[in-house]
Amino acid sequence: MQINQAPSAPTVAISPSSPKTADDLGVVITTEAVDPDGDAVSYSYRWYRDEVEMTSFTGTTVDESATTRGETWRVEVVASDGSASGTAG
């Protein structure tokens, strides 16, 4: 019996790279995660504002109404094959 292996981490970026006040933040997956077992991959999203996880944001975008000038936002994207999760990208 083969042991299930976790998918690789995707490469991601926040778009737009230089957001303006009225811009939503979105995540762009620039390199897809790969599952070594060939399983289908899904993604989960964790957004951070000034290094504090914003648990109310779990999708691919953050509405501009939730952001304020001067904040630092980042996103972690984790690939899963349904049995194992990879590292954050």
Side-chain angles (χ1 to χ4, degrees), residues 1 12-13 30 35-36 39 47-48 62 64 68 70-71 73-74 80-81 83 87:
M1 177 179 204
V12 300
T30 56
D35 185 78
D39 298 326
W47 288 91
Y48 295 83
V62 172
E64 57 87 15
T68 302
E71 295 173 337
W73 283 81
R74 70 180 177 91
S80 174
D81 65 8
S83 296
T87 57

Side-chain angles (χ1 to χ4, degrees), residues 3 5 8 25 29 33 36 43 45-46 49:
I3 296 174
Q5 297 179 24
S8 63
L25 301 179
I29 297 174
Y43 296 105
Y45 305 90
R46 285 182 287 206
R49 178 177 61 205

Side-chain angles (χ1 to χ4, degrees), residues 65-83:
S65 65
T67 66
T68 302
R69 176 183 220 131
E71 295 173 337
T72 301
W73 283 81
R74 70 180 177 91
V75 63
E76 290 182 350
V77 181
V78 176
S80 174
D81 65 8
S83 296

Side-chain angles (χ1 to χ4, degrees), residues 17-75:
S17 58
S18 297
K20 305 284 188 253
T21 303
D23 291 338
D24 293 342
L25 301 179
V27 63
V28 177
I29 297 174
T30 56
T31 304
E32 296 283 338
V34 176
D35 185 78
D37 306 307
D39 298 326
V41 173
S42 63
Y43 296 105
S44 62
Y45 305 90
R46 285 182 287 206
W47 288 91
Y48 295 83
R49 178 177 61 205
D50 297 329
E51 295 306 316
V52 175
E53 184 175 1
M54 305 304 294
T55 57
S56 58
F57 299 105
T58 59
T60 59
T61 61
V62 172
D63 187 86
E64 57 87 15
S65 65
T67 66
T68 302
R69 176 183 220 131
E71 295 173 337
T72 301
W73 283 81
R74 70 180 177 91
V75 63

